[in-house]
Amino acid sequence: MAADSDTALTYFRRVSIEYPQSVWAAPALLRLAQFAFARGAFPTTVTTAERVLSDYPHTRVRAAAAYWAGRADLEQHDVTAAVGHLPEGEPQTVGRW
């Protein structure tokens, strides 16, 4: 467990960069997006959350990434982009059912 937020950010970045195939990479990126939102860095929030959506289409944090991207869009008064993120939270299917 990280002692402070700067240390946590360092660990999250490290996981997302050095271990992109890890099951922890998408959740680490999501945490980076959440930290960006907390700092008021809304464009960074959107970019980071969209990276989760594009790079990890089958992740369990997909809906959360779509939520944070949409919420950051709303903070930037971009309702169209925010609404566009809603369907991205839907689970992506693998194979046929």
PDB file of all heavy atoms in Angstrom, residues 29-51:
ATOM      1  N   LEU A  29      -4.760   2.171 -14.895  1.00  0.00           N
ATOM      2  CA  LEU A  29      -5.103   3.313 -15.747  1.00  0.00           C
ATOM      3  C   LEU A  29      -6.371   4.004 -15.243  1.00  0.00           C
ATOM      4  O   LEU A  29      -6.462   5.237 -15.268  1.00  0.00           O
ATOM      5  CB  LEU A  29      -5.302   2.859 -17.190  1.00  0.00           C
ATOM      6  CG  LEU A  29      -4.048   2.669 -18.024  1.00  0.00           C
ATOM      7  CD1 LEU A  29      -4.404   2.039 -19.370  1.00  0.00           C
ATOM      8  CD2 LEU A  29      -3.326   3.986 -18.229  1.00  0.00           C
ATOM      9  N   LEU A  30      -7.335   3.221 -14.810  1.00  0.00           N
ATOM     10  CA  LEU A  30      -8.563   3.810 -14.271  1.00  0.00           C
ATOM     11  C   LEU A  30      -8.245   4.678 -13.062  1.00  0.00           C
ATOM     12  O   LEU A  30      -8.761   5.792 -12.936  1.00  0.00           O
ATOM     13  CB  LEU A  30      -9.571   2.726 -13.898  1.00  0.00           C
ATOM     14  CG  LEU A  30     -10.857   3.238 -13.263  1.00  0.00           C
ATOM     15  CD1 LEU A  30     -11.631   4.139 -14.216  1.00  0.00           C
ATOM     16  CD2 LEU A  30     -11.708   2.081 -12.792  1.00  0.00           C
ATOM     17  N   ARG A  31      -7.382   4.203 -12.178  1.00  0.00           N
ATOM     18  CA  ARG A  31      -6.998   5.002 -11.006  1.00  0.00           C
ATOM     19  C   ARG A  31      -6.294   6.288 -11.430  1.00  0.00           C
ATOM     20  O   ARG A  31      -6.505   7.337 -10.829  1.00  0.00           O
ATOM     21  CB  ARG A  31      -6.094   4.196 -10.071  1.00  0.00           C
ATOM     22  CG  ARG A  31      -6.797   3.072  -9.382  1.00  0.00           C
ATOM     23  CD  ARG A  31      -7.832   3.591  -8.427  1.00  0.00           C
ATOM     24  NE  ARG A  31      -8.432   2.484  -7.723  1.00  0.00           N
ATOM     25  CZ  ARG A  31      -9.614   2.526  -7.172  1.00  0.00           C
ATOM     26  NH1 ARG A  31     -10.330   3.623  -7.248  1.00  0.00           N
ATOM     27  NH2 ARG A  31     -10.102   1.492  -6.559  1.00  0.00           N
ATOM     28  N   LEU A  32      -5.465   6.209 -12.469  1.00  0.00           N
ATOM     29  CA  LEU A  32      -4.812   7.419 -12.977  1.00  0.00           C
ATOM     30  C   LEU A  32      -5.859   8.412 -13.485  1.00  0.00           C
ATOM     31  O   LEU A  32      -5.736   9.627 -13.264  1.00  0.00           O
ATOM     32  CB  LEU A  32      -3.817   7.072 -14.078  1.00  0.00           C
ATOM     33  CG  LEU A  32      -2.550   6.343 -13.625  1.00  0.00           C
ATOM     34  CD1 LEU A  32      -1.752   5.861 -14.830  1.00  0.00           C
ATOM     35  CD2 LEU A  32      -1.705   7.245 -12.737  1.00  0.00           C
ATOM     36  N   ALA A  33      -6.882   7.903 -14.158  1.00  0.00           N
ATOM     37  CA  ALA A  33      -7.960   8.784 -14.632  1.00  0.00           C
ATOM     38  C   ALA A  33      -8.690   9.423 -13.452  1.00  0.00           C
ATOM     39  O   ALA A  33      -9.013  10.615 -13.487  1.00  0.00           O
ATOM     40  CB  ALA A  33      -8.933   7.989 -15.504  1.00  0.00           C
ATOM     41  N   GLN A  34      -8.939   8.646 -12.416  1.00  0.00           N
ATOM     42  CA  GLN A  34      -9.631   9.181 -11.244  1.00  0.00           C
ATOM     43  C   GLN A  34      -8.782  10.248 -10.536  1.00  0.00           C
ATOM     44  O   GLN A  34      -9.308  11.266 -10.084  1.00  0.00           O
ATOM     45  CB  GLN A  34      -9.997   8.051 -10.289  1.00  0.00           C
ATOM     46  CG  GLN A  34     -11.074   7.157 -10.855  1.00  0.00           C
ATOM     47  CD  GLN A  34     -11.291   5.908 -10.043  1.00  0.00           C
ATOM     48  OE1 GLN A  34     -10.348   5.339  -9.477  1.00  0.00           O
ATOM     49  NE2 GLN A  34     -12.530   5.453  -9.983  1.00  0.00           N
ATOM     50  N   PHE A  35      -7.478  10.007 -10.443  1.00  0.00           N
ATOM     51  CA  PHE A  35      -6.593  11.010  -9.855  1.00  0.00           C
ATOM     52  C   PHE A  35      -6.611  12.284 -10.687  1.00  0.00           C
ATOM     53  O   PHE A  35      -6.630  13.391 -10.147  1.00  0.00           O
ATOM     54  CB  PHE A  35      -5.154  10.489  -9.756  1.00  0.00           C
ATOM     55  CG  PHE A  35      -4.835   9.803  -8.454  1.00  0.00           C
ATOM     56  CD1 PHE A  35      -4.822   8.423  -8.367  1.00  0.00           C
ATOM     57  CD2 PHE A  35      -4.513  10.535  -7.327  1.00  0.00           C
ATOM     58  CE1 PHE A  35      -4.514   7.786  -7.183  1.00  0.00           C
ATOM     59  CE2 PHE A  35      -4.207   9.914  -6.129  1.00  0.00           C
ATOM     60  CZ  PHE A  35      -4.208   8.539  -6.052  1.00  0.00           C
ATOM     61  N   ALA A  36      -6.597  12.145 -12.019  1.00  0.00           N
ATOM     62  CA  ALA A  36      -6.641  13.313 -12.901  1.00  0.00           C
ATOM     63  C   ALA A  36      -7.936  14.095 -12.678  1.00  0.00           C
ATOM     64  O   ALA A  36      -7.926  15.334 -12.619  1.00  0.00           O
ATOM     65  CB  ALA A  36      -6.506  12.887 -14.362  1.00  0.00           C
ATOM     66  N   PHE A  37      -9.040  13.381 -12.536  1.00  0.00           N
ATOM     67  CA  PHE A  37     -10.324  14.042 -12.287  1.00  0.00           C
ATOM     68  C   PHE A  37     -10.272  14.820 -10.976  1.00  0.00           C
ATOM     69  O   PHE A  37     -10.714  15.967 -10.903  1.00  0.00           O
ATOM     70  CB  PHE A  37     -11.464  13.022 -12.254  1.00  0.00           C
ATOM     71  CG  PHE A  37     -12.820  13.649 -12.155  1.00  0.00           C
ATOM     72  CD1 PHE A  37     -13.525  13.967 -13.302  1.00  0.00           C
ATOM     73  CD2 PHE A  37     -13.384  13.936 -10.927  1.00  0.00           C
ATOM     74  CE1 PHE A  37     -14.779  14.562 -13.222  1.00  0.00           C
ATOM     75  CE2 PHE A  37     -14.628  14.534 -10.834  1.00  0.00           C
ATOM     76  CZ  PHE A  37     -15.327  14.846 -11.985  1.00  0.00           C
ATOM     77  N   ALA A  38      -9.727  14.204  -9.944  1.00  0.00           N
ATOM     78  CA  ALA A  38      -9.641  14.853  -8.634  1.00  0.00           C
ATOM     79  C   ALA A  38      -8.796  16.124  -8.692  1.00  0.00           C
ATOM     80  O   ALA A  38      -9.060  17.079  -7.957  1.00  0.00           O
ATOM     81  CB  ALA A  38      -9.071  13.886  -7.611  1.00  0.00           C
ATOM     82  N   ARG A  39      -7.800  16.151  -9.565  1.00  0.00           N
ATOM     83  CA  ARG A  39      -6.954  17.343  -9.745  1.00  0.00           C
ATOM     84  C   ARG A  39      -7.617  18.379 -10.637  1.00  0.00           C
ATOM     85  O   ARG A  39      -7.096  19.476 -10.788  1.00  0.00           O
ATOM     86  CB  ARG A  39      -5.615  16.959 -10.390  1.00  0.00           C
ATOM     87  CG  ARG A  39      -4.653  16.241  -9.506  1.00  0.00           C
ATOM     88  CD  ARG A  39      -3.267  16.140 -10.151  1.00  0.00           C
ATOM     89  NE  ARG A  39      -3.261  15.970 -11.590  1.00  0.00           N
ATOM     90  CZ  ARG A  39      -3.247  14.815 -12.244  1.00  0.00           C
ATOM     91  NH1 ARG A  39      -3.242  13.693 -11.573  1.00  0.00           N
ATOM     92  NH2 ARG A  39      -3.210  14.778 -13.559  1.00  0.00           N
ATOM     93  N   GLY A  40      -8.731  18.027 -11.274  1.00  0.00           N
ATOM     94  CA  GLY A  40      -9.380  18.943 -12.192  1.00  0.00           C
ATOM     95  C   GLY A  40      -8.791  18.905 -13.588  1.00  0.00           C
ATOM     96  O   GLY A  40      -9.066  19.772 -14.409  1.00  0.00           O
ATOM     97  N   ALA A  41      -7.994  17.886 -13.869  1.00  0.00           N
ATOM     98  CA  ALA A  41      -7.386  17.721 -15.197  1.00  0.00           C
ATOM     99  C   ALA A  41      -8.332  16.890 -16.061  1.00  0.00           C
ATOM    100  O   ALA A  41      -8.070  15.721 -16.357  1.00  0.00           O
ATOM    101  CB  ALA A  41      -6.017  17.062 -15.070  1.00  0.00           C
ATOM    102  N   PHE A  42      -9.428  17.502 -16.480  1.00  0.00           N
ATOM    103  CA  PHE A  42     -10.483  16.779 -17.175  1.00  0.00           C
ATOM    104  C   PHE A  42     -10.074  16.233 -18.540  1.00  0.00           C
ATOM    105  O   PHE A  42     -10.439  15.098 -18.873  1.00  0.00           O
ATOM    106  CB  PHE A  42     -11.743  17.629 -17.249  1.00  0.00           C
ATOM    107  CG  PHE A  42     -12.203  18.085 -15.888  1.00  0.00           C
ATOM    108  CD1 PHE A  42     -12.348  19.431 -15.604  1.00  0.00           C
ATOM    109  CD2 PHE A  42     -12.461  17.172 -14.877  1.00  0.00           C
ATOM    110  CE1 PHE A  42     -12.751  19.857 -14.347  1.00  0.00           C
ATOM    111  CE2 PHE A  42     -12.861  17.576 -13.613  1.00  0.00           C
ATOM    112  CZ  PHE A  42     -13.005  18.935 -13.344  1.00  0.00           C
ATOM    113  N   PRO A  43      -9.310  16.967 -19.346  1.00  0.00           N
ATOM    114  CA  PRO A  43      -8.859  16.372 -20.613  1.00  0.00           C
ATOM    115  C   PRO A  43      -7.995  15.123 -20.400  1.00  0.00           C
ATOM    116  O   PRO A  43      -8.120  14.143 -21.136  1.00  0.00           O
ATOM    117  CB  PRO A  43      -8.062  17.497 -21.289  1.00  0.00           C
ATOM    118  CG  PRO A  43      -8.612  18.752 -20.711  1.00  0.00           C
ATOM    119  CD  PRO A  43      -8.950  18.398 -19.285  1.00  0.00           C
ATOM    120  N   THR A  44      -7.156  15.151 -19.378  1.00  0.00           N
ATOM    121  CA  THR A  44      -6.331  13.982 -19.060  1.00  0.00           C
ATOM    122  C   THR A  44      -7.202  12.826 -18.586  1.00  0.00           C
ATOM    123  O   THR A  44      -6.947  11.669 -18.924  1.00  0.00           O
ATOM    124  CB  THR A  44      -5.281  14.338 -17.990  1.00  0.00           C
ATOM    125  OG1 THR A  44      -4.481  15.413 -18.487  1.00  0.00           O
ATOM    126  CG2 THR A  44      -4.401  13.147 -17.651  1.00  0.00           C
ATOM    127  N   THR A  45      -8.228  13.145 -17.824  1.00  0.00           N
ATOM    128  CA  THR A  45      -9.168  12.111 -17.375  1.00  0.00           C
ATOM    129  C   THR A  45      -9.781  11.407 -18.570  1.00  0.00           C
ATOM    130  O   THR A  45      -9.813  10.168 -18.629  1.00  0.00           O
ATOM    131  CB  THR A  45     -10.290  12.728 -16.512  1.00  0.00           C
ATOM    132  OG1 THR A  45      -9.712  13.413 -15.405  1.00  0.00           O
ATOM    133  CG2 THR A  45     -11.256  11.661 -16.029  1.00  0.00           C
ATOM    134  N   VAL A  46     -10.264  12.186 -19.531  1.00  0.00           N
ATOM    135  CA  VAL A  46     -10.908  11.614 -20.711  1.00  0.00           C
ATOM    136  C   VAL A  46      -9.920  10.757 -21.494  1.00  0.00           C
ATOM    137  O   VAL A  46     -10.219   9.608 -21.851  1.00  0.00           O
ATOM    138  CB  VAL A  46     -11.511  12.717 -21.614  1.00  0.00           C
ATOM    139  CG1 VAL A  46     -12.011  12.131 -22.920  1.00  0.00           C
ATOM    140  CG2 VAL A  46     -12.629  13.445 -20.885  1.00  0.00           C
ATOM    141  N   THR A  47      -8.736  11.281 -21.741  1.00  0.00           N
ATOM    142  CA  THR A  47      -7.725  10.545 -22.518  1.00  0.00           C
ATOM    143  C   THR A  47      -7.358   9.229 -21.848  1.00  0.00           C
ATOM    144  O   THR A  47      -7.284   8.188 -22.508  1.00  0.00           O
ATOM    145  CB  THR A  47      -6.461  11.415 -22.693  1.00  0.00           C
ATOM    146  OG1 THR A  47      -6.824  12.624 -23.351  1.00  0.00           O
ATOM    147  CG2 THR A  47      -5.408  10.691 -23.494  1.00  0.00           C
ATOM    148  N   THR A  48      -7.149   9.271 -20.546  1.00  0.00           N
ATOM    149  CA  THR A  48      -6.746   8.062 -19.821  1.00  0.00           C
ATOM    150  C   THR A  48      -7.882   7.044 -19.771  1.00  0.00           C
ATOM    151  O   THR A  48      -7.666   5.846 -19.994  1.00  0.00           O
ATOM    152  CB  THR A  48      -6.275   8.427 -18.406  1.00  0.00           C
ATOM    153  OG1 THR A  48      -5.254   9.429 -18.500  1.00  0.00           O
ATOM    154  CG2 THR A  48      -5.709   7.211 -17.683  1.00  0.00           C
ATOM    155  N   ALA A  49      -9.097   7.506 -19.506  1.00  0.00           N
ATOM    156  CA  ALA A  49     -10.243   6.588 -19.469  1.00  0.00           C
ATOM    157  C   ALA A  49     -10.504   5.997 -20.851  1.00  0.00           C
ATOM    158  O   ALA A  49     -10.814   4.803 -20.968  1.00  0.00           O
ATOM    159  CB  ALA A  49     -11.476   7.315 -18.951  1.00  0.00           C
ATOM    160  N   GLU A  50     -10.352   6.804 -21.888  1.00  0.00           N
ATOM    161  CA  GLU A  50     -10.536   6.284 -23.248  1.00  0.00           C
ATOM    162  C   GLU A  50      -9.472   5.253 -23.597  1.00  0.00           C
ATOM    163  O   GLU A  50      -9.734   4.328 -24.369  1.00  0.00           O
ATOM    164  CB  GLU A  50     -10.536   7.422 -24.257  1.00  0.00           C
ATOM    165  CG  GLU A  50     -11.819   8.221 -24.240  1.00  0.00           C
ATOM    166  CD  GLU A  50     -11.808   9.406 -25.186  1.00  0.00           C
ATOM    167  OE1 GLU A  50     -10.722   9.823 -25.641  1.00  0.00           O
ATOM    168  OE2 GLU A  50     -12.905   9.929 -25.468  1.00  0.00           O
ATOM    169  N   ARG A  51      -8.294   5.394 -23.037  1.00  0.00           N
ATOM    170  CA  ARG A  51      -7.248   4.384 -23.265  1.00  0.00           C
ATOM    171  C   ARG A  51      -7.667   3.044 -22.657  1.00  0.00           C
ATOM    172  O   ARG A  51      -7.429   1.989 -23.246  1.00  0.00           O
ATOM    173  CB  ARG A  51      -5.920   4.854 -22.678  1.00  0.00           C
ATOM    174  CG  ARG A  51      -4.805   3.914 -23.000  1.00  0.00           C
ATOM    175  CD  ARG A  51      -3.455   4.478 -22.680  1.00  0.00           C
ATOM    176  NE  ARG A  51      -2.519   3.372 -22.597  1.00  0.00           N
ATOM    177  CZ  ARG A  51      -1.521   3.303 -21.765  1.00  0.00           C
ATOM    178  NH1 ARG A  51      -1.270   4.300 -20.949  1.00  0.00           N
ATOM    179  NH2 ARG A  51      -0.746   2.255 -21.737  1.00  0.00           N
TER     180      ARG A  51
END
